[in-house]
Every structure is written in structure tokens, then in C-alpha cells.
Amino acid sequence: MSKFTRLFLRTPRPQSLFGLVGLQTGTELISLALVFNKVTGVYGLLAILTGYQLSLLQLSTYVYSIGVLGLLVYLIPHIRRQSLFECLALAWLYFLDTTINGAYTAAFGLDWYFASTSAGGEAKAMYLPNVVSEGFEGLRRQSAIHGKVVPQETATSMILIVGLTLIRVYFTFIVMAFARQVLQKYMQLMILEGPGVDEREGPFALDLPDGDGRKGRLGRFMVSFGRGYWMDIPGLENWERNVQRKPHSSGPLAGKV
């Protein structure tokens, strides 16, 4: 049972984006796509200048989008630098944003369903991603034209929405896998240089340079959730053992030269 759990029930760990580009390039492309998505929040707030009345939900969502956009502008340059803390923060940001957007999509789906079954009901999708909003808008137009939702149009739109949501989940695994790769390389470097690795807090342990200050506290907090995913480095114990033996085995050879 433990072997089945380890192989089939663990978090997916892709090695590339669609088998075409590496994790670093894939993470850059995914992050840039999210930037374009969040730019709509800026235009949403500009609607206030035209006198358009925004609901509290719409206003909070636009403010949230601008906040995420600012974090992305700060974190994206660190992808190429492979900065440990920033790449890990980007993974958590993308995961949380995917979760929030998934909740919005599910909430609007229910809102649209109940609105379409009531007379004169209308659901607003301004706070959803553009492509998802267009899918729901297509359903609403068909409802207005035919008086009820056409089954074929409903199926097509729902398949599109579900497919886009699954792609977003896959992108989340890509960004997380890249952050995990950066963490692994950093920990392996720590083993080679001598400080060693803390099995629970990794490079963010209190006695290590990266564990100091606010970043250290945030780093320990981020790795505390899903520790088995972030800290699971294949063959770590064997590697540490080989590194420890290496100086002893090289001594006799050095004497013979």
C-alpha cells in the first residue's frame, strides 16, 4: 500500500512543459501569461473613472489582481536567477491564485445556473478570467435566444471551462516543480559545501544564513506545508554519505601521486 501511495497518489512532478521546454522556460511563460491576465484588474479600476458602479466583490477582485500583478513584477526576474526564496514564493502565489480563481469559477457557475433557471436572471462574470468569462457569456446568450440553455452549447462551453481549469492546474504543477528543482539544487550545494541540510526546514533553518530575518520565517512557513513534497530529495541520504566518504577515500590516492 505504501508503494502504491508513493507512486500513484503523490503530487505530480513534471520535468518539462508539455515535453517541449524545460521547467525554467515553462515557468517564465506561465508567469507572463498570468501577468497579462492580471492586467485586466487595472482596466477594471479605470472603469470607476467613467462612472461605472462596481460591486464590492468586483472591486476587491480588481484590487487583488493589481496586488498579484505587483508581486509578479517583483518575482519574475528571479526565475532566471533561480533565487530560492523568490521561486518558492512564486510557486505559492500561483497555487493560491489558481485556488482562488477555481473558487470564483465554481461560484459563478452556480450563479449562472440559478440565474438561467429564473426569469430575467443575469449573472455577471467580470471577476473571472477573460476566456472563462467568454465561455459563461456564450451560455447566457444561448439562454436569452432560445429561452433555455441548448444542451450542445452547454456541453461545449462547460468542456471549454473545465479544460481551461485543468490546464491551469497543470501549470501550477509546473511552477511548483521548478521551485522544487531550485530547492533541490540549493540543498545539494549545501551538502557539497559542508553546512549540511536540515531535514525539516531545509536551507531556512535558524542556524543557516537563509533562515535569518523575515525571509527565513516566511521560508520556514512555506516549506512547512507540503514538507514531504518540498524536502523529498531522491537519494539524499546516500549522497550525503558519499560526500562524507569522499575526503577519506581521496587521501591515499593523493599520497600516491
Side-chain angles (χ1 to χ4, degrees), residues 170-244:
Y170 172 69
F171 285 169
T172 303
F173 289 135
I174 293 294
V175 179
M176 291 176 61
F178 172 69
R180 181 174 178 271
Q181 183 183 80
V182 172
L183 180 63
Q184 286 186 351
K185 290 181 179 179
Y186 196 90
M187 293 175 67
Q188 291 168 358
L189 183 62
M190 289 174 62
I191 296 173
L192 293 175
E193 291 184 348
V197 176
D198 186 277
E199 294 182 356
R200 290 189 56 81
E201 298 177 346
F204 300 108
L206 287 172
D207 57 339
L208 296 177
D210 291 285
D212 188 28
R214 184 179 303 174
K215 283 190 175 182
R217 291 192 295 271
L218 290 175
R220 289 191 294 274
F221 179 76
M222 287 188 291
V223 298
S224 64
F225 294 95
R227 195 186 306 276
Y229 174 79
W230 301 114
M231 307 300 294
D232 180 21
I233 301 181
L236 178 60
E237 294 182 358
N238 294 334
W239 193 7
E240 287 181 328
R241 192 179 303 114
N242 291 335
V243 171
Q244 291 174 358

Side-chain angles (χ1 to χ4, degrees), residues 6-229:
R6 185 168 57 254
L7 294 178
F8 298 98
L9 300 183
R10 71 175 186 174
T11 305
R13 301 170 185 184
Q15 300 298 318
S16 62
L17 176 63
F18 297 125
L20 299 176
V21 297
L23 292 176
Q24 177 176 315
T25 303
T27 300
E28 290 177 332
L29 295 175
I30 292 169
S31 300
L32 289 176
L34 186 60
V35 167
F36 289 122
N37 179 265
K38 295 305 177 184
V39 167
T40 57
V42 179
Y43 293 103
L45 286 181
L46 292 178
I48 299 178
L49 301 178
T50 65
Y52 186 85
Q53 296 295 325
L54 297 177
S55 66
L56 181 61
L57 178 60
Q58 291 168 345
L59 180 61
S60 62
T61 305
Y62 289 143
V63 173
Y64 161 77
S65 297
I66 292 176
V68 173
L69 181 61
L71 289 175
L72 287 172
V73 171
Y74 169 73
L75 294 174
I76 286 178
H78 290 276
I79 297 176
R80 198 169 290 271
R81 302 171 192 166
Q82 296 194 8
S83 304
L84 175 60
F85 175 83
E86 285 77 9
C87 290
L88 191 60
L90 177 63
W92 274 110
L93 176 65
Y94 200 90
F95 171 80
L96 293 175
D97 186 70
T98 299
T99 303
I100 293 172
N101 276 275
Y104 276 143
T105 302
F108 181 77
L110 293 174
D111 188 23
W112 168 84
Y113 174 78
F114 290 117
S116 63
T117 56
S118 62
E122 182 176 350
K124 296 181 179 179
M126 293 185 64
Y127 50 86
L128 289 174
N130 292 336
V131 181
V132 178
S133 299
E134 290 174 1
F136 279 118
E137 184 66 23
L139 290 175
R140 191 160 62 94
R141 286 196 299 267
Q142 292 297 325
S143 300
I145 294 173
H146 299 281
K148 62 179 181 179
V149 180
V150 180
Q152 292 181 350
E153 296 293 336
T154 303
T156 302
S157 299
M158 293 307 296
I159 289 174
L160 174 64
I161 293 166
V162 172
L164 290 172
T165 302
L166 292 177
I167 291 176
R168 181 67 188 269
V169 172
Y170 172 69
F171 285 169
T172 303
F173 289 135
I174 293 294
V175 179
M176 291 176 61
F178 172 69
R180 181 174 178 271
Q181 183 183 80
V182 172
L183 180 63
Q184 286 186 351
K185 290 181 179 179
Y186 196 90
M187 293 175 67
Q188 291 168 358
L189 183 62
M190 289 174 62
I191 296 173
L192 293 175
E193 291 184 348
V197 176
D198 186 277
E199 294 182 356
R200 290 189 56 81
E201 298 177 346
F204 300 108
L206 287 172
D207 57 339
L208 296 177
D210 291 285
D212 188 28
R214 184 179 303 174
K215 283 190 175 182
R217 291 192 295 271
L218 290 175
R220 289 191 294 274
F221 179 76
M222 287 188 291
V223 298
S224 64
F225 294 95
R227 195 186 306 276
Y229 174 79

